[in-house]
Amino acid sequence: MTLAERLRTALGADAVITDPAVTSSYERDMMPLAPNGSPLAVVLPSSTAQVQAVVRICAELGVPIVPRGAGSGLSGAANAIDGCVMLVTTRMREILEIDADNRLAVVQPGVVNLDFRDAVEKNGLFYPPDPSSYDWCTIGGNVSTNAGGLCCVKYGVTTDSVLGLEVVLADGEVLRTGRRTVKGVAGYDLTKLFIGSEGTLGVVTEITVALRPLPHAPGTTIAAFPTIEAAGNAVSRIVREGVVPSLMEIMDATSIKAAEEYLKTELGAGQGCAALLLCQSDAGGEAARHELEVIEQVCHAAGADLAYTTHDLAEGQMLLQARRVVLTALELYGTWLTDDVCVPRTRIAELLTGCERISQECGLRIAVVGHAGDGNMHPTIVYDASSDDEFARARKAFDDILEVGLGLGGTVTGEHGVGKIKKDWLEREIGPVGMRVHRAVKAALDPGNLFNPGSMF
Amino acid sequence: MTLAERLRTALGADAVITDPAVTSSYERDMMPLAPNGSPLAVVLPSSTAQVQAVVRICAELGVPIVPRGAGSGLSGAANAIDGCVMLVTTRMREILEIDADNRLAVVQPGVVNLDFRDAVEKNGLFYPPDPSSYDWCTIGGNVSTNAGGLCCVKYGVTTDSVLGLEVVLADGEVLRTGRRTVKGVAGYDLTKLFIGSEGTLGVVTEITVALRPLPHAPGTTIAAFPTIEAAGNAVSRIVREGVVPSLMEIMDATSIKAAEEYLKTELGAGQGCAALLLCQSDAGGEAARHELEVIEQVCHAAGADLAYTTHDLAEGQMLLQARRVVLTALELYGTWLTDDVCVPRTRIAELLTGCERISQECGLRIAVVGHAGDGNMHPTIVYDASSDDEFARARKAFDDILEVGLGLGGTVTGEHGVGKIKKDWLEREIGPVGMRVHRAVKAALDPGNLFNPGSMF
């Protein structure tokens, strides 16, 4: 039997796609810089046993497997390579359990982040990780990339919410990592080894997550600064004051202008506003009022022209709109290419200044939005996709931004991952000993290089 | 040259001890059940370069290395094996950096937990992990065991506070894991792989930790219950109400009686108090008052005979004394042997009932204290160390408690580790596939089995 025949026998005909017109739609994620090849087949297993079957067939035939969720990634980690099988987890979309008394849930990898958030909210609980694509990305994809989001400044990234995993290994065996208890130190922390491994070590087939109590409805503070330095300074001072907001986002002048044009509103770009800071507190009552008062005072002291606080939920959401629409708004000017770099919180202004310089050098618009509370910035380069020259300049700017971030003591990826676009940068960041350990761990768990070969390193 | 001569040449004579009268004091940690052997030498390096030298010499000569901090561990993980070199990190006790603006610090492994807490507190910052031995255990030991403490219910365990590590590998090379930024997903999470690896994968020589704002002075609620079930029920209901106290400890009747005798005070054991629940909130102001009010109400609703709240710091500390003195108080009756098991929070009462049964079966006193907020219980068996029979019964009870914990969906170690006493239990908990992955990871990083051979698995 051919590969496709064996896969169809194991999974059923409707779970195996080989028509190139259809498989092509599974070939790549949302990162325009990453290359992709053509898969031999796309498989959509609906159970752990079916995933095991796919892994065993592919291992036997020496066919590489690229695991994939919804394809919302921004690093090409889920892009096909020529002759691979794309293992798509979107049919494994059951929420298997919500245990409110132990504040945990068990889900399959294909559950959409937003669907899960909504389901646990009905139980008065909260699942923090909220990547921007939360309305269509999957929990499995979030686990693979250790996804972050706007919540991280207070609630951490995906790994901070995961208690345990079920993983199909390269030999088709099922590994269970972690546990259902809040604490546990029996053996190595294999759970966190698989989280963020970008599909290179196994296929995650079940995820046990820790939940939190539902926070209070947030209050919101917005502050406008005449200079980037003043805004960066405000971030440092807020951290120094010991306030932990539930959200702290920054927008530079280019982002503000784009949002103004898109929303047809005034956000201060015309009045010399160089940066906006948006903060929320979900501490509730007196505590939230106190936190936002401190933030407002600190913003004024750091030189803000304006700082405004509301405890009205709808008004707060309206203010946040400016931040949320930036990527969409940038499409008014061209195709966007978003970078992902994380620097120590005290170096944010320097990163933004560096991006301004790079923008001038490459002659392209670069808008910076980012999670100021944890130094994770997304400088976004706008270019004309029909121009090879502009694409080449955008690509160079993308690398130049990483160079600046690394030079500021940062990392080349705060939350999007390495994938197929930052392999050289991973090596630069972690050095030869780090690379050697990565290769040793990969070889120990996937000696035949079955899973996502050539991705990450 | 002999091993000792080579070590003395590399480290200086005062850093190498071979006199058995002195080396014997480094042979074991605080766990009476664990076996230990005799080391060839004890070395006390004072720099990463010296650790590298020790590792290279031992690797060349095929002499195993057992890394060790202060020796406060409770699993025998830091116990000597015959013919090993004990690598003691207590001379590497410098706090290298406290960066208040980025809320991080860099420390050497031999820094004592309490010294570090005090140092960061002077900067208005907070390092949460607080194992009971915090006045003498080291941060390096805490990292090796992924130590917990009373803070975990709100602030997590050691791994949740570590951003990055410097580790000397089996070939003597220095690996740097993680980063100084709050977020980062460049490569596998090697930091968390080394945390909790109990000295089996490398020697940690530097630790970068994340700090938090100093919390408010805590308010305290104490509640007395007529039955264990009522107390367990109260814990579940507090969790269900969405309250996250900064401390939530439970004491059973045996612990209460011991504390009463030791403190020469009345805690209610005579009035039919079967369990005490001690809770704190460090949320401050209105938020803390609200949290403790909810806790008090829930305790009453769950059947508490008494519930009392104070926002006076000194009074709260006095109430906590009852919990803090239990192990010392048990020494009035004999030698204690403390177990460590973590169950889902809803199963605490069943675990306590199981311990009562085991106590009757073995004819030994078993006092249960534990971190109720995360289900991590420390049933403590009291026996006469001069009686082989009592020791054998204590040892059996120790295992019986793990059996009960595992049967309740728990783990055989919540925070003390596997070490040399729970190797069989690790296998029972994680199964053959888990063991195989552990061995593969160990072989990948330490192919010569240089570090702590025979410990953990």
Side-chain angles (χ1 to χ4, degrees):
Chain A
M1 283 199 287
T2 64
L3 170 74
E5 283 165 352
R6 291 189 61 179
L7 292 169
R8 285 202 178 95
T9 305
L11 272 64
D14 75 315
V16 181
I17 308 167
T18 51
D19 177 357
V22 184
T23 60
S24 64
S25 65
Y26 290 94
E27 274 172 11
R28 47 186 301 113
D29 67 13
M30 301 297 286
M31 166 45 70
L33 288 190
N36 71 278
S38 299
L40 287 178
V42 171
V43 297
L44 295 129
S46 34
S47 69
T48 300
Q50 289 195 350
V51 172
Q52 290 181 277
V54 173
V55 168
R56 286 188 166 130
I57 292 167
C58 289
E60 193 187 320
L61 300 177
V63 174
I65 293 173
V66 178
R68 180 192 142 115
S72 62
L74 288 162
S75 73
N79 282 15
I81 55 171
D82 280 333
C84 76
V85 163
M86 294 297 296
L87 193 161
V88 184
T89 59
T90 49
R91 280 198 189 166
M92 296 175 72
R93 61 189 310 146
E94 225 178 303
I95 297 172
L96 300 170
E97 181 187 357
I98 296 175
D99 178 348
D101 287 335
N102 286 304
R103 285 210 293 254
L104 64 81
V106 184
V107 301
Q108 290 189 310
V111 173
V112 169
N113 183 299
L114 180 60
D115 293 345
F116 181 56
R117 304 171 74 75
D118 288 347
V120 300
E121 195 174 323
K122 288 200 187 96
N123 289 269
L125 292 167
F126 174 49
Y127 176 67
D130 59 347
S132 298
S133 54
Y134 71 111
D135 54 345
W136 67 291
C137 65
T138 63
I139 308 280
N142 298 167
V143 165
S144 283
T145 55
N146 193 12
L150 306 188
C151 74
C152 307
V153 57
K154 183 163 182 177
Y155 298 107
V157 294
T158 298
T159 199
D160 299 308
S161 287
V162 179
L163 294 171
L165 298 173
E166 180 189 84
V167 184
V168 175
L169 300 173
D171 60 3
E173 293 284 325
V174 173
L175 170 72
R176 296 199 73 97
T177 73
R179 50 198 64 82
R180 289 170 66 96
T181 55
V182 183
K183 284 161 82 176
V185 293
Y188 299 150
D189 193 343
L190 298 178
T191 304
K192 295 196 193 302
L193 179 62
F194 281 96
I195 296 171
S197 65
E198 302 184 3
T200 63
L201 298 178
V203 183
V204 172
T205 49
E206 198 180 290
I207 304 136
T208 303
V209 302
L211 303 170
R212 288 174 175 268
L214 211 51
H216 297 271
T220 307
T221 297
I222 187 167
F225 295 86
T227 65
I228 284 169
E229 288 71 23
N233 209 349
V235 172
S236 295
R237 291 203 206 178
I238 290 166
V239 171
R240 196 69 193 87
E241 284 293 325
V243 178
V244 181
S246 56
L247 173 151
M248 177 152 65
E249 296 288 309
I250 194 169
M251 295 170 64
D252 74 347
T254 309
S255 307
I256 299 166
K257 272 181 220 139
E260 282 184 335
E261 287 189 34
Y262 183 81
L263 295 171
K264 303 193 194 323
T265 184
E266 267 295 319
L267 292 165
Q271 290 76 54
C273 170
L276 279 180
L277 203 60
L278 288 146
C279 300
Q280 290 195 321
S281 168
D282 64 5
E286 184 203 295
R289 274 190 300 279
H290 174 71
E291 285 186 358
L292 295 181
E293 262 168 40
V294 170
I295 288 172
E296 210 183 294
Q297 282 162 16
V298 167
C299 287
H300 279 304
D305 290 326
L306 173 153
Y308 172 76
T309 298
T310 176
H311 289 275
D312 181 81
L313 181 63
E315 191 183 12
Q317 282 171 334
M318 205 188 66
L319 294 174
L320 266 192
Q321 268 301 93
R323 162 69 181 88
R324 294 205 188 270
V325 300
V326 170
L327 287 187
T328 312
L330 289 173
E331 288 174 4
L332 297 172
Y333 310 133
T335 300
W336 54 257
L337 169 62
T338 195
D339 212 335
D340 169 44
V341 61
C342 190
V343 295
R345 283 176 287 218
T346 48
R347 315 295 297 267
I348 291 173
E350 290 166 85
L351 181 73
L352 267 65
T353 308
C355 289
E356 273 185 357
R357 176 182 55 74
I358 293 165
S359 169
Q360 281 157 16
E361 283 168 11
C362 70
L364 296 173
R365 203 185 301 255
I366 300 180
V368 186
V369 289
H371 316 306
D374 36 51
N376 187 194
M377 298 291 118
H378 296 306
T380 303
I381 309 153
V382 184
Y383 65 102
D384 175 356
S386 68
S387 157
D388 288 348
D389 172 57
E390 287 214 0
F391 179 73
R393 280 187 277 147
R395 179 163 204 128
K396 180 172 185 308
F398 187 88
D399 281 348
D400 290 347
I401 291 164
L402 299 180
E403 179 92 46
V404 170
L406 215 47
L408 293 170
T411 171
V412 298
T413 171
E415 58 183 8
H416 293 174
V418 174
K420 296 186 173 74
I421 52 163
K422 291 183 178 173
K423 288 154 62 173
D424 297 343
W425 288 98
L426 175 67
E427 190 148 6
R428 277 187 65 174
E429 179 169 330
I430 71 174
V433 178
M435 289 309 298
R436 192 160 50 71
V437 172
H438 272 72
R439 292 198 181 97
V441 170
K442 166 78 171 169
L445 288 170
D446 180 17
N449 206 11
L450 183 69
F451 294 123
N452 216 355
S455 206
M456 188 185 277
F457 57 87
Chain B
M1 284 199 287
T2 65
L3 171 73
E5 283 165 351
R6 289 188 62 179
L7 292 170
R8 286 201 177 95
T9 305
L11 272 64
D14 74 316
V16 181
I17 307 168
T18 51
D19 177 356
V22 185
T23 60
S24 64
S25 65
Y26 290 94
E27 274 171 12
R28 48 187 298 112
D29 68 14
M30 302 296 288
M31 167 43 71
L33 288 191
N36 71 277
S38 299
L40 288 179
V42 171
V43 297
L44 296 129
S46 34
S47 68
T48 300
Q50 289 195 350
V51 173
Q52 290 182 277
V54 173
V55 169
R56 287 188 166 129
I57 292 166
C58 289
E60 194 188 318
L61 300 177
V63 174
I65 294 172
V66 178
R68 180 192 141 114
S72 61
L74 288 162
S75 72
N79 282 14
I81 55 171
D82 280 333
C84 77
V85 164
M86 293 297 295
L87 192 160
V88 184
T89 58
T90 50
R91 281 198 188 165
M92 296 175 70
R93 61 189 308 148
E94 224 177 303
I95 298 172
L96 301 170
E97 180 187 358
I98 297 175
D99 177 348
D101 287 335
N102 286 304
R103 286 211 292 254
L104 65 81
V106 184
V107 301
Q108 289 189 311
V111 172
V112 169
N113 183 298
L114 181 59
D115 294 345
F116 180 57
R117 303 171 75 75
D118 288 347
V120 301
E121 195 175 322
K122 287 197 187 95
N123 290 268
L125 292 166
F126 174 48
Y127 176 67
D130 60 345
S132 298
S133 55
Y134 71 111
D135 53 346
W136 68 290
C137 67
T138 63
I139 308 280
N142 298 167
V143 165
S144 283
T145 56
N146 194 10
L150 306 188
C151 75
C152 307
V153 57
K154 184 162 181 177
Y155 298 108
V157 294
T158 298
T159 199
D160 299 307
S161 287
V162 178
L163 294 172
L165 298 174
E166 181 189 82
V167 184
V168 175
L169 299 173
D171 60 4
E173 293 284 325
V174 173
L175 171 71
R176 296 198 73 97
T177 73
R179 50 196 65 81
R180 291 169 64 95
T181 54
V182 183
K183 284 161 81 176
V185 293
Y188 299 151
D189 194 342
L190 298 177
T191 304
K192 296 197 194 299
L193 180 62
F194 281 97
I195 296 171
S197 65
E198 302 185 3
T200 62
L201 297 179
V203 183
V204 172
T205 49
E206 198 180 290
I207 303 135
T208 303
V209 301
L211 303 170
R212 287 174 176 266
L214 210 52
H216 296 271
T220 307
T221 297
I222 187 165
F225 296 86
T227 64
I228 285 169
E229 287 71 24
N233 209 347
V235 172
S236 295
R237 290 204 206 178
I238 290 166
V239 170
R240 198 68 193 87
E241 284 292 325
V243 177
V244 181
S246 56
L247 174 150
M248 179 150 65
E249 297 289 310
I250 194 168
M251 295 170 65
D252 75 347
T254 309
S255 307
I256 299 166
K257 273 180 219 138
E260 282 184 334
E261 287 189 34
Y262 184 81
L263 295 171
K264 303 195 195 320
T265 185
E266 267 296 320
L267 292 165
Q271 289 76 54
C273 169
L276 278 180
L277 203 59
L278 289 146
C279 300
Q280 291 195 320
S281 168
D282 64 4
E286 183 204 295
R289 274 190 300 279
H290 174 71
E291 285 186 358
L292 296 180
E293 263 168 39
V294 171
I295 288 172
E296 209 183 296
Q297 283 163 14
V298 167
C299 287
H300 279 303
D305 290 325
L306 173 154
Y308 172 76
T309 298
T310 176
H311 289 275
D312 182 82
L313 180 63
E315 191 183 11
Q317 281 170 336
M318 205 188 67
L319 295 173
L320 266 193
Q321 268 302 93
R323 162 70 181 89
R324 294 205 188 271
V325 300
V326 170
L327 287 186
T328 312
L330 289 173
E331 289 173 4
L332 295 171
Y333 310 131
T335 300
W336 53 257
L337 169 62
T338 194
D339 212 335
D340 169 44
V341 61
C342 190
V343 295
R345 282 175 288 217
T346 48
R347 314 296 296 266
I348 292 173
E350 290 165 86
L351 181 73
L352 267 65
T353 308
C355 289
E356 272 184 358
R357 176 183 56 74
I358 294 165
S359 170
Q360 281 157 15
E361 283 168 11
C362 70
L364 297 172
R365 202 185 300 255
I366 300 180
V368 185
V369 290
H371 315 307
D374 36 51
N376 186 195
M377 298 290 117
H378 297 305
T380 302
I381 309 152
V382 183
Y383 66 101
D384 176 356
S386 67
S387 158
D388 288 348
D389 173 58
E390 288 215 359
F391 179 74
R393 281 188 277 147
R395 174 161 210 131
K396 179 169 186 310
F398 188 88
D399 281 346
D400 290 347
I401 290 165
L402 299 180
E403 180 91 43
V404 171
L406 214 47
L408 293 170
T411 171
V412 297
T413 172
E415 57 183 10
H416 293 173
V418 175
K420 296 184 173 72
I421 53 163
K422 292 184 179 173
K423 287 155 62 172
D424 297 343
W425 288 98
L426 176 67
E427 189 146 5
R428 277 188 62 174
E429 180 169 330
I430 70 174
V433 178
M435 290 309 298
R436 193 160 51 73
V437 172
H438 271 74
R439 291 196 181 98
V441 170
K442 166 79 171 169
L445 288 170
D446 180 17
N449 207 9
L450 182 71
F451 294 123
N452 217 356
S455 205
M456 189 187 277
F457 58 87

